[in-house]
Amino acid sequence: MTLSPARLTLVMCLSEVLTMAGTMTVPALLPVFIEAWGLTTAEAGWLGGIAHLGYVLAVPVLLGLTDRLDSRKIYLWSTAVAVLSCAGFALWADGFWSAMLFRALGGVGLAGTYMPGLRVLSDHIAGPRAGRCMSFYTASYGIGVAGSTLAAGLVAGAGGWHAAFWLAAALTLAALLLGLALIPRTVPENAPPSLAALFDFRPVLRNRKAMGYILGYTAHNWELFGCRGWLVAFLAFAAGAPQGQVPAHVTALATVILMVGVAASILGNEAAQRWGRDRFLTVIMLASAAIAAVIGFASALPYGLLAAIALVYGCTITADSASLTVGMVGAAGAGRRGAAMAMHSLFGFAGAFVAPIVFGVALETAGGPESVAGWGAGFLTLAAAVAMGPLFLRVLGR
């Protein structure tokens, strides 16, 4: 079956949203797990970040293989791994270490779906519309994150956290069936002649323009996933919720914050095409750093005012996302696109893995999760990271 570019983009976006049903279930219910399993903030940070370590370990192999194998096969097998991670968590997770295992497995599933899905699009859609289609796809990640957060909060509130993970497993299974039916096969062009060449990432590391976007994406992901990992817990603290509880209005606000980021990602890429990609990225990343530096301390403000600041932050924190990825794809050579995507994900999600842990350590060191100073220190780590993005773009983009 041959799909038009618009229909293929719609299929890939819908499949990605469903595949991500389990990605935010733990962060959305983090206060519940902290209370139920007696976790420290450092352990909570590890639980929030371990999925990204699984991603980092798997992505060079899985994305490198897209330069030689059908991306569809990699996508579908990885979706099956994501189903297993959600169902396994519901069945067997009963503490820190078992939860870590299934979260790491979920990261492996994400590694074989998110960027390989982008590879499917880039291989089947060319010309000026390719960048716009890719920006819609990368924005679907944000929709998946928001949907996962909302579903986890609502279902866990009604039936407990096990039910939230069973729902995530069912939705991810639906993504697998959709992919089997509609995702087209891909025949890689200009494939490296050997497996050794396939996993030789030196040409990507020597591509200064591509590496500027890759390291900028690392700074972006540090901020983005550090925030996502602790967002619900932060809002629950600011709302004065009892320990171990996540009120429905907190989940709803977190979902809205994540959803406004979806539109910001798409519009950010459009703005970058109009005003200059590097110039736009510099402005938006510095603006996001400025908000991150103050939002943790703003938890002492009236909740309505904090919510307004958080909504603005939800825009700045994602407005650079699609533009960084589209810039990287454009800077990569056609025969090494999979390798470039692998490095993009490897560096980016290494930042995503470390960020929640560093946030949790700063939070604990500066006063703990019941103090304004603690949350201020946690968000300062995000501000420092994203402020490095413009430096990477400027130095390597020359």
Side-chain angles (χ1 to χ4, degrees):
M1 179 186 298
T2 301
L3 300 177
S4 67
R7 289 184 177 179
L8 177 59
T9 302
L10 178 61
V11 167
M12 295 308 303
C13 288
L14 178 58
S15 183
E16 185 61 22
V17 169
L18 292 171
T19 300
M20 294 191 60
T23 56
M24 285 295 290
T25 311
V26 165
L29 302 175
L30 196 57
V32 175
F33 294 120
I34 291 174
E35 183 72 13
W37 294 338
L39 304 179
T40 67
T41 54
E43 288 173 332
W46 271 95
L47 191 56
I50 191 63
H52 304 124
L53 179 59
Y55 186 107
V56 165
L57 294 176
V59 79
V61 176
L62 295 176
L63 262 174
L65 286 172
T66 64
D67 280 331
R68 194 176 184 91
L69 303 178
D70 181 2
S71 300
R72 177 180 182 270
K73 291 182 179 179
I74 296 169
Y75 189 97
L76 294 176
W77 277 108
S78 300
T79 304
V81 170
V83 175
L84 177 61
S85 74
C86 295
F89 199 107
L91 282 170
W92 294 300
D94 59 0
F96 177 69
W97 290 109
S98 55
M100 290 272 284
L101 171 63
F102 289 107
R103 286 290 290 168
L105 194 62
V108 174
L110 182 61
T113 54
Y114 179 46
M115 281 293 174
L118 185 69
R119 179 65 192 263
V120 170
L121 281 178
S122 66
D123 284 343
H124 287 273
I125 303 175
R129 59 188 169 184
R132 182 168 287 117
C133 291
M134 284 189 283
S135 73
F136 277 105
Y137 177 80
T138 56
S140 72
Y141 190 108
I143 297 174
V145 165
S148 177
T149 301
L150 180 62
L154 294 179
V155 175
W161 65 263
H162 292 85
F165 275 94
W166 280 120
L167 174 64
L171 292 174
T172 310
L173 179 60
L176 177 60
L177 298 176
L178 178 66
L180 281 168
L182 295 176
I183 293 178
R185 299 180 185 276
T186 300
V187 179
E189 297 180 1
N190 302 317
S194 67
L195 285 177
L198 184 69
F199 296 111
D200 181 6
F201 297 109
R202 288 175 296 178
V204 179
L205 298 174
R206 289 194 294 264
N207 185 334
R208 291 176 60 87
K209 187 68 174 177
M211 285 305 300
Y213 289 120
I214 288 170
L215 292 178
Y217 184 69
T218 305
H220 157 76
N221 266 18
W222 184 300
E223 180 194 30
L224 178 64
F225 287 93
C227 177
R228 284 176 175 173
W230 287 99
L231 177 62
V232 173
F234 170 64
L235 294 176
F237 163 73
Q243 284 189 330
Q245 295 186 25
V246 181
H249 69 85
V250 168
T251 301
L253 176 58
T255 302
V256 173
I257 292 169
L258 295 170
M259 282 301 296
V260 298
V262 174
S265 180
I266 296 171
L267 294 175
N269 185 62
E270 298 292 325
Q273 290 180 328
R274 175 169 298 190
W275 296 327
R277 192 170 303 279
D278 290 3
R279 180 188 304 171
F280 170 79
L281 288 170
T282 296
V283 171
I284 203 67
M285 294 177 96
L286 291 179
S288 197
I291 298 175
V294 301
I295 191 170
F297 300 103
S299 56
L301 297 176
Y303 191 65
L305 180 57
L306 171 66
I309 297 172
L311 285 169
V312 175
Y313 189 41
C315 293
T316 61
I317 202 171
T318 57
D320 53 353
S321 181
S323 188
L324 285 163
T325 300
V326 172
M328 177 277 301
V329 172
R336 303 297 295 173
R337 189 170 293 157
M341 289 180 178
M343 289 296 96
H344 191 68
S345 290
L346 175 64
F347 279 79
F349 280 84
F353 160 60
V354 175
I357 301 171
V358 174
F359 191 116
V361 172
L363 173 62
E364 186 69 30
T365 303
E370 296 303 313
S371 74
V372 173
W375 288 107
F379 278 98
L380 279 174
T381 65
L382 309 186
V386 74
M388 295 295 294
L391 179 63
F392 295 136
L393 292 172
R394 182 173 180 83
V395 172
L396 293 175
R398 292 174 179 171

